[in-house]
């Protein structure tokens, strides 16, 4: 029954029926709790609920739930690749809430944890972790020119890496290119002001 609800929620999300997907996911979580499912098993369902909130523009609820999901995944010692996905999702929510300093601090700490040594520097989640860190500087209107220069250098490296690993037409490579272009535009605005 739980698997059927998960699949239904995924299908509704794929069709952009986010209100319906959220309802299904909330029932799924309630059912899991009623059946006594351990909290560490409910994390993925909570992550899916957070995604539904995000798609519905409910960003504060998204942020709160993503904080919980990340903390629980770490506490229950989920696999590293899953934890880094939750970290990236939380970082995106922090940036969307314009909590750039918190996002930078959080991401700096995650990068310092050495996921690149554990998963490899070319692991897509490690790339996205660094990408989100650079993006926190480019998105922040208070970032200095030097911060943006460093962010653009990171984007250049990551764009080159994703293009080499995934090819130039892969959606992740296209996103990396868009971030690079956005960073270069911000840098050009800095230069035009001086």
């Amino acid at each position: 029954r739980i698997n059927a609800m998960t699949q239904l929620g995924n299908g509704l999300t794929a069709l952009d029926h986010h209100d319906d997907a959220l309802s299904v996911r909330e029932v799924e979580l309630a059912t899991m709790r009623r059946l006594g499912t351990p909290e560490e098993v409910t994390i993925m369902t909570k992550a899916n609920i957070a995604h539904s909130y995000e798609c519905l523009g409910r960003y504060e609820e998204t942020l709160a739930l993503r904080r919980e999901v990340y903390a629980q995944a770490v506490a229950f010692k989920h696999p590293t690749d899953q934890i880094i996905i939750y970290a990236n999702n939380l970082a995106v929510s922090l940036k969307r809430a314009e909590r750039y300093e918190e996002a930078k601090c959080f991401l700096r700490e995650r990068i310092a944890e050495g996921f690149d040594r554990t998963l490899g520097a070319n692991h897509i989640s490690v790339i996205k972790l660094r990408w989100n860190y650079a993006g926190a500087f480019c998105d922040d209107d208070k970032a200095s020119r030097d911060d943006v220069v460093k962010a653009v250098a990171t984007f250049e490296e990551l764009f080159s890496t994703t293009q080499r690993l995934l090819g130039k037409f892969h959606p992740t490579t296209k996103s990396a290119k868009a971030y690079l272009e956005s960073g270069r535009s911000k840098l050009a605005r800095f230069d035009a002001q001086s």
Side-chain angles (χ1 to χ4, degrees), residues 36-151:
T37 303
E39 228 15 66
E40 64 265 24
V41 178
T42 66
I43 293 173
M44 181 61 74
T45 302
K46 290 177 188 175
N48 288 337
I49 290 171
H51 178 71
S52 292
Y53 285 157
E54 182 177 46
C55 292
L56 293 168
R58 294 166 60 175
Y59 301 125
E60 287 301 317
E61 291 164 290
T62 304
L63 178 57
L65 193 50
R66 284 186 171 161
R67 285 183 197 279
E68 179 183 333
V69 164
Y70 174 76
Q72 287 182 338
V74 170
F76 291 122
K77 298 184 181 348
H78 275 228
T80 301
D81 58 336
Q82 197 62 50
I83 289 173
I84 199 170
I85 289 170
Y86 296 142
N88 274 316
N89 289 344
L90 176 52
V92 167
S93 290
L94 287 167
K95 289 190 315 177
R96 187 178 303 272
E98 298 182 4
R99 296 179 185 183
Y100 300 114
E101 289 307 314
E102 186 179 353
K104 290 177 223 176
C105 181
F106 174 75
L107 288 162
R108 191 171 25 256
E109 290 170 1
R110 302 299 69 81
I111 291 167
E113 288 173 357
F115 288 124
D116 57 337
R117 290 187 303 277
T118 308
L119 298 173
N122 292 334
H123 190 284
I124 194 65
S125 293
V126 172
I127 290 169
K128 287 182 178 179
L129 196 68
R130 293 182 59 222
W131 172 350
N132 278 320
Y133 182 63
F137 287 97
C138 281
D139 295 344
D140 186 355
D141 291 335
K142 296 176 187 168
S144 70
R145 184 185 186 285
D146 287 344
D147 288 336
V148 176
V149 167
K150 290 175 190 170

Side-chain angles (χ1 to χ4, degrees), residues 3 90 100 120 182 188 190 194:
N3 286 338
L90 176 52
Y100 300 114
S182 174
F190 264 112
S194 28

Side-chain angles (χ1 to χ4, degrees), residues 131 155 159 162 170-181:
W131 172 350
F155 286 141
F159 173 63
T162 56
H170 191 277
T172 301
T173 305
K174 290 179 178 182
S175 292
K177 184 177 182 183
Y179 266 91
L180 174 57
E181 290 170 354

